mmCIF file of all heavy atoms in Angstrom:
data_model
loop_
_atom_site.group_PDB
_atom_site.id
_atom_site.type_symbol
_atom_site.label_atom_id
_atom_site.label_comp_id
_atom_site.label_asym_id
_atom_site.label_seq_id
_atom_site.Cartn_x
_atom_site.Cartn_y
_atom_site.Cartn_z
ATOM 1 N N LEU A 296 15.612 98.312 -9.804
ATOM 2 C CA LEU A 296 15.516 99.605 -9.137
ATOM 3 C C LEU A 296 15.213 99.272 -7.609
ATOM 4 O O LEU A 296 14.291 98.410 -7.463
ATOM 5 C CB LEU A 296 14.378 100.381 -9.617
ATOM 6 C CG LEU A 296 13.985 101.587 -8.858
ATOM 7 C CD1 LEU A 296 15.147 102.624 -8.740
ATOM 8 C CD2 LEU A 296 12.639 102.408 -9.413
ATOM 9 N N GLN A 297 16.072 99.699 -6.727
ATOM 10 C CA GLN A 297 15.924 99.369 -5.323
ATOM 11 C C GLN A 297 15.662 100.777 -4.588
ATOM 12 O O GLN A 297 16.447 101.683 -4.743
ATOM 13 C CB GLN A 297 17.323 98.908 -4.910
ATOM 14 C CG GLN A 297 17.550 98.463 -3.458
ATOM 15 C CD GLN A 297 18.934 98.037 -3.228
ATOM 16 O OE1 GLN A 297 19.492 96.973 -3.646
ATOM 17 N NE2 GLN A 297 19.694 98.891 -2.482
ATOM 18 N N VAL A 298 14.474 100.728 -3.978
ATOM 19 C CA VAL A 298 14.061 102.038 -3.283
ATOM 20 C C VAL A 298 13.689 101.685 -1.932
ATOM 21 O O VAL A 298 13.051 100.653 -1.619
ATOM 22 C CB VAL A 298 12.791 102.543 -3.963
ATOM 23 C CG1 VAL A 298 12.331 103.885 -3.330
ATOM 24 C CG2 VAL A 298 13.006 102.791 -5.454
ATOM 25 N N ASP A 299 14.120 102.450 -1.023
ATOM 26 C CA ASP A 299 13.544 102.442 0.447
ATOM 27 C C ASP A 299 13.612 103.708 1.014
ATOM 28 O O ASP A 299 14.231 104.723 0.607
ATOM 29 C CB ASP A 299 14.197 101.322 1.337
ATOM 30 C CG ASP A 299 15.712 101.619 1.472
ATOM 31 O OD1 ASP A 299 16.118 102.244 2.374
ATOM 32 O OD2 ASP A 299 16.503 100.975 0.649
ATOM 33 N N PHE A 300 12.774 103.829 2.044
ATOM 34 C CA PHE A 300 12.551 105.214 2.722
ATOM 35 C C PHE A 300 11.903 105.067 4.151
ATOM 36 O O PHE A 300 11.591 103.965 4.556
ATOM 37 C CB PHE A 300 11.500 106.056 1.837
ATOM 38 C CG PHE A 300 10.381 105.237 1.398
ATOM 39 C CD1 PHE A 300 9.299 104.921 2.194
ATOM 40 C CD2 PHE A 300 10.301 104.750 0.001
ATOM 41 C CE1 PHE A 300 8.207 104.209 1.760
ATOM 42 C CE2 PHE A 300 9.220 103.938 -0.413
ATOM 43 C CZ PHE A 300 8.198 103.730 0.430
ATOM 44 N N LYS A 330 7.309 94.200 -9.272
ATOM 45 C CA LYS A 330 7.792 94.863 -8.113
ATOM 46 C C LYS A 330 7.516 94.032 -6.857
ATOM 47 O O LYS A 330 6.422 93.439 -6.682
ATOM 48 C CB LYS A 330 6.843 96.169 -8.031
ATOM 49 C CG LYS A 330 7.234 96.841 -6.622
ATOM 50 C CD LYS A 330 6.305 98.138 -6.364
ATOM 51 C CE LYS A 330 6.687 98.711 -5.050
ATOM 52 N NZ LYS A 330 5.831 99.858 -4.741
ATOM 53 N N PHE A 331 8.517 93.933 -6.066
ATOM 54 C CA PHE A 331 8.342 93.437 -4.662
ATOM 55 C C PHE A 331 8.092 94.630 -3.781
ATOM 56 O O PHE A 331 8.845 95.578 -3.798
ATOM 57 C CB PHE A 331 9.664 92.759 -4.162
ATOM 58 C CG PHE A 331 9.868 91.276 -4.600
ATOM 59 C CD1 PHE A 331 10.813 91.131 -5.707
ATOM 60 C CD2 PHE A 331 9.184 90.295 -4.046
ATOM 61 C CE1 PHE A 331 10.993 89.663 -6.040
ATOM 62 C CE2 PHE A 331 9.416 88.931 -4.426
ATOM 63 C CZ PHE A 331 10.299 88.747 -5.473
ATOM 64 N N TRP A 332 6.977 94.503 -3.001
ATOM 65 C CA TRP A 332 6.710 95.578 -2.092
ATOM 66 C C TRP A 332 7.483 95.117 -0.704
ATOM 67 O O TRP A 332 7.154 94.069 -0.177
ATOM 68 C CB TRP A 332 5.255 95.684 -1.775
ATOM 69 C CG TRP A 332 4.404 96.321 -2.905
ATOM 70 C CD1 TRP A 332 4.256 95.789 -4.167
ATOM 71 C CD2 TRP A 332 3.854 97.566 -2.877
ATOM 72 N NE1 TRP A 332 3.553 96.711 -4.943
ATOM 73 C CE2 TRP A 332 3.252 97.823 -4.135
ATOM 74 C CE3 TRP A 332 3.763 98.570 -1.859
ATOM 75 C CZ2 TRP A 332 2.568 98.935 -4.442
ATOM 76 C CZ3 TRP A 332 3.039 99.770 -2.302
ATOM 77 C CH2 TRP A 332 2.453 99.926 -3.468
ATOM 78 N N THR A 333 8.326 95.972 -0.183
ATOM 79 C CA THR A 333 9.071 95.565 1.017
ATOM 80 C C THR A 333 8.697 96.492 2.168
ATOM 81 O O THR A 333 8.339 97.680 2.025
ATOM 82 C CB THR A 333 10.567 95.808 0.747
ATOM 83 O OG1 THR A 333 10.887 97.062 0.340
ATOM 84 C CG2 THR A 333 11.002 94.845 -0.416
ATOM 85 N N GLY A 341 9.978 101.454 4.485
ATOM 86 C CA GLY A 341 9.112 100.904 3.374
ATOM 87 C C GLY A 341 9.894 101.058 2.079
ATOM 88 O O GLY A 341 10.934 101.589 1.989
ATOM 89 N N GLY A 342 9.460 100.253 1.151
ATOM 90 C CA GLY A 342 10.215 100.384 -0.149
ATOM 91 C C GLY A 342 9.664 99.383 -1.197
ATOM 92 O O GLY A 342 8.650 98.888 -1.042
ATOM 93 N N GLY A 343 10.664 99.161 -2.244
ATOM 94 C CA GLY A 343 10.181 98.278 -3.244
ATOM 95 C C GLY A 343 11.486 97.910 -4.101
ATOM 96 O O GLY A 343 12.465 98.665 -4.111
ATOM 97 N N ILE A 344 11.407 96.716 -4.637
ATOM 98 C CA ILE A 344 12.510 96.244 -5.564
ATOM 99 C C ILE A 344 11.765 95.916 -6.859
ATOM 100 O O ILE A 344 10.762 95.183 -6.912
ATOM 101 C CB ILE A 344 13.200 94.939 -5.009
ATOM 102 C CG1 ILE A 344 13.983 95.440 -3.742
ATOM 103 C CG2 ILE A 344 14.151 94.422 -6.121
ATOM 104 C CD1 ILE A 344 14.370 94.305 -2.964
ATOM 105 N N TYR A 345 12.168 96.627 -7.938
ATOM 106 C CA TYR A 345 11.480 96.600 -9.218
ATOM 107 C C TYR A 345 12.388 95.979 -10.242
ATOM 108 O O TYR A 345 13.555 96.255 -10.268
ATOM 109 C CB TYR A 345 11.145 97.942 -9.726
ATOM 110 C CG TYR A 345 10.335 98.816 -8.850
ATOM 111 C CD1 TYR A 345 10.891 99.414 -7.683
ATOM 112 C CD2 TYR A 345 9.073 99.147 -9.205
ATOM 113 C CE1 TYR A 345 10.079 100.277 -6.811
ATOM 114 C CE2 TYR A 345 8.240 100.085 -8.271
ATOM 115 C CZ TYR A 345 8.827 100.528 -7.201
ATOM 116 O OH TYR A 345 8.137 101.435 -6.377
ATOM 117 N N HIS A 360 8.269 108.710 -8.803
ATOM 118 C CA HIS A 360 7.944 108.019 -7.538
ATOM 119 C C HIS A 360 8.561 108.797 -6.413
ATOM 120 O O HIS A 360 7.899 109.051 -5.310
ATOM 121 C CB HIS A 360 8.489 106.573 -7.576
ATOM 122 C CG HIS A 360 8.057 105.760 -6.359
ATOM 123 N ND1 HIS A 360 6.814 105.687 -5.998
ATOM 124 C CD2 HIS A 360 8.786 104.857 -5.541
ATOM 125 C CE1 HIS A 360 6.644 104.851 -4.902
ATOM 126 N NE2 HIS A 360 7.871 104.328 -4.651
ATOM 127 N N GLN B 1296 18.525 92.866 1.348
ATOM 128 C CA GLN B 1296 19.008 93.836 0.461
ATOM 129 C C GLN B 1296 20.345 94.295 0.876
ATOM 130 O O GLN B 1296 20.469 94.888 2.070
ATOM 131 C CB GLN B 1296 17.934 94.911 0.390
ATOM 132 C CG GLN B 1296 18.275 96.098 -0.542
ATOM 133 C CD GLN B 1296 17.192 97.151 -0.403
ATOM 134 O OE1 GLN B 1296 15.950 96.934 -0.714
ATOM 135 N NE2 GLN B 1296 17.523 98.293 0.149
ATOM 136 N N LEU B 1376 13.990 92.575 5.049
ATOM 137 C CA LEU B 1376 12.682 93.082 4.752
ATOM 138 C C LEU B 1376 11.658 92.065 4.555
ATOM 139 O O LEU B 1376 11.799 90.928 4.055
ATOM 140 C CB LEU B 1376 12.858 93.808 3.337
ATOM 141 C CG LEU B 1376 13.781 95.110 3.358
ATOM 142 C CD1 LEU B 1376 14.229 95.337 1.879
ATOM 143 C CD2 LEU B 1376 13.163 96.301 3.891
#
Side-chain angles (χ1 to χ4, degrees):
Chain A
L296 170 62
Q297 177 184 293
V298 182
D299 59 86
F300 43 78
K330 172 184 181 183
F331 279 102
W332 288 69
T333 60
I344 294 165
Y345 306 72
H360 190 46
Chain B
Q1296 178 184 293
L1376 296 158

